[in-house]
Amino acid sequence: MLRLALAVSTAFGFATMAEAAPSRAQVEAQFRQWIETDLWQAAKDAGVGRDVFDKTLRSVQLNWELPDLVPPGTAPPKEQTQSQAEFSSPAPYFDEKRLQGLAGTGKSLASQHASTLRRIEATYGVPGSIVVSIWGRESGYGRAKLPYSAIDVLTTKAFMSTRKPLFQQELISALHMLESGDVSADKMMGSWAGALGQPQFMPSSYLKYAVDFDGDGKRDIWNSVPDALASIANYLVKSGWQKGRDWGYEITIPAGVSCAQEGPDRAKAVSAWAADGLSRITGKAFPRGENSLPAMMLVPAGTHGPEFLVTPNFYVLKEYNNSDLYALFIGNLSDRIANGGGAFRAPWDNIGKMLRSDVLAMQQALVAQGYDVGKVDGLPGFKTRRSLGEWQVKNGLQPTCYPSADLKTKLR
């Protein structure tokens, strides 16, 4: 009995002496009751039919192996103290061996599916190399295993995760998918987070963006390459992709021009940036058609790494995954597939080890002095980077626009 109690305590977090954590059997019983009451009411209100609800959830199973679970009667995990190194050079994200492998495969598949990609570009205005790059990054060109029942994952997380409302809405979207007849529950396979198929769409994204591009009457993002690729393009164009524009350019920012000018809210015409002395690192001129169009400075590692001038399409790529590094990865991979490009020319410097709590302290100090750092969360987004650069200029320092160990004692 003692061993059983210890096992339960380990699974659910340490229970108090007065109230033991519920057993799995008790949680399973609560799960079935929740399905019949709360979940059914929410699904009914959203227009889900009783037949599909019962058929789908009759055999659903809790997946106890998923991360971020908070079973009923247990407390969510406390946020851990940031005692480990959180930030170093972004260089590992752009592992050259991995990028070369993805680019080689991507070129081959772009050739294999050239006619489909031409139709996609004609229909949506999104370059085939961008679509193929997202395909490669998200699911290894459709080769990644999707071992989880999406219904099991979504139902488990809707019942006992740290983000229950989000996953309940995604579960209801999945039920609507089943009602459409495009896929059956046993074929709806996904990731541990509930992302589906080769484009790794959440169910709500599937309902908005998935398309039938092979003409078989079904939107099959699991098995149909045309459907998967066209769905990615449809996602991008409905998120604002601008036809005829690239994602961005690696640049050189000359001495005397501050790095503290980045962000989508500080866009200027490409010609204005060029007049300030920003130039492409390749030595080529910016395309003539870009001169009057808006672009934004991006320095993801401040002056410690490659510098960029990006178009609004860069921020569309971030709609797919809200990360500067993700969007840069897609852009770089696309350039490799489309025209044989390689690694970024400028290196990612070693910026030392920083704790998230260190960055948080810097953000709090900047806010106290009237700077807008965006969300005060210990993550150096563009508002934090440029505010830090502005503070450095104001205090007579050479702006680097990135947190570093030497600034911890200066910025308090």
Side-chain angles (χ1 to χ4, degrees):
M1 292 298 292
L2 177 59
R3 294 175 65 184
L4 176 60
L6 287 173
V8 170
S9 183
T10 300
F12 294 144
F14 292 108
T16 65
M17 293 296 290
E19 184 180 353
S23 68
R24 284 199 179 191
Q26 290 172 320
V27 172
E28 297 275 1
Q30 292 181 53
F31 176 59
R32 302 314 311 186
Q33 182 63 30
W34 169 79
I35 289 174
E36 289 303 316
T37 54
D38 296 19
L39 181 60
W40 163 240
Q41 188 61 54
K44 180 182 177 182
D45 292 346
V48 174
R50 185 78 209 200
D51 287 348
V52 72
F53 183 88
D54 287 343
K55 181 180 178 182
T56 303
L57 296 172
R58 186 179 299 120
S59 59
V60 71
Q61 299 291 320
L62 280 177
N63 186 335
W64 292 89
E65 305 303 317
L66 299 174
D68 303 323
L69 299 184
V70 186
T74 66
K78 294 182 179 179
E79 185 172 344
Q80 294 183 347
T81 303
Q82 297 295 334
S83 58
Q84 73 278 17
E86 287 282 319
F87 299 108
S88 57
S89 170
Y93 194 92
F94 299 94
D95 180 76
E96 185 61 17
K97 184 177 180 180
R98 183 187 184 198
L99 273 161
Q100 287 180 1
L102 284 171
T105 304
K107 288 178 185 177
S108 176
L109 290 171
S111 176
Q112 180 182 335
H113 298 287
S115 61
T116 296
L117 292 169
R118 283 194 295 270
R119 283 204 303 130
I120 287 172
E121 187 161 357
T123 303
Y124 299 103
V126 180
S129 58
I130 288 286
V131 173
V132 170
S133 296
I134 291 176
W135 184 32
R137 181 69 175 81
E138 292 297 324
S139 65
Y141 304 109
R143 298 169 183 175
K145 293 182 179 180
L146 299 175
Y148 297 98
S149 160
I151 296 299
D152 285 354
V153 167
L154 294 170
T155 310
T156 298
K157 285 182 169 284
F159 176 64
M160 57 175 193
S161 79
T162 55
R163 295 183 293 166
K164 292 189 290 187
L166 168 68
F167 284 103
Q168 179 169 298
Q169 193 56 53
E170 292 296 343
L171 174 59
I172 290 172
S173 293
L175 293 172
H176 284 306
M177 287 174 59
L178 296 175
E179 287 186 314
S180 75
D182 283 337
V183 63
S184 59
D186 63 313
K187 302 294 185 184
M188 192 185 287
M189 306 301 290
S191 72
W192 62 266
L196 308 173
Q198 298 185 37
Q200 286 291 275
F201 281 176
M202 294 301 288
S204 59
S205 293
Y206 177 95
L207 293 176
K208 292 178 185 176
Y209 307 116
V211 296
D212 170 24
F213 207 68
D214 61 12
D216 70 350
K218 293 186 177 183
R219 297 175 292 170
D220 183 0
I221 62 172
W222 291 266
N223 305 298
S224 169
V225 170
D227 287 5
L229 297 182
S231 295
I232 292 170
N234 190 41
Y235 186 107
L236 294 176
V237 76
K238 287 187 174 178
S239 297
W241 186 271
Q242 296 182 5
K243 182 179 180 180
R245 298 202 73 184
D246 209 331
W247 67 270
Y249 310 92
E250 187 180 358
I251 60 167
T252 297
I253 301 174
V257 175
S258 175
C259 53
Q261 301 182 68
E262 70 170 319
D265 55 341
R266 295 191 181 178
K268 295 196 297 189
V270 170
S271 59
W273 289 114
D276 289 340
L278 278 65
S279 60
R280 294 177 69 178
I281 201 167
T282 61
K284 297 179 180 179
F286 293 107
R288 185 174 300 176
E290 290 281 300
N291 285 334
S292 63
L293 300 176
M296 289 69 73
M297 180 189 288
L298 176 78
V299 286
T303 59
H304 299 291
E307 302 160 336
F308 304 91
L309 202 60
V310 298
T311 75
N313 285 341
F314 176 86
Y315 294 96
V316 174
L317 294 177
K318 287 186 65 175
E319 290 292 321
Y320 212 100
N321 184 322
N322 189 23
S323 161
D324 286 342
L325 298 186
Y326 175 88
L328 286 172
F329 188 101
I330 297 300
N332 182 256
L333 179 55
S334 173
D335 289 347
R336 292 171 188 247
I337 292 171
N339 51 44
F344 296 129
R345 299 286 186 92
W348 300 96
D349 295 341
N350 182 354
I351 57 176
K353 302 289 185 179
M354 291 288 292
L355 305 182
R356 185 166 169 176
S357 54
D358 294 331
V359 180
L360 182 65
M362 290 184 189
Q363 290 174 324
Q364 291 169 336
L366 288 167
V367 169
Q369 296 181 41
Y371 291 94
D372 177 10
V373 301
K375 190 174 182 181
V376 182
D377 57 2
L379 300 173
F382 77 88
K383 287 187 176 181
T384 294
R385 297 193 297 260
R386 77 182 182 196
S387 291
L388 184 56
E390 289 169 348
W391 176 87
Q392 288 173 306
V393 170
K394 184 178 179 179
N395 287 272
L397 301 173
Q398 182 67 29
T400 61
C401 301
Y402 204 77
S404 57
D406 65 298
L407 291 174
K408 286 195 294 184
T409 57
K410 297 177 182 176
L411 177 57
R412 293 183 179 275

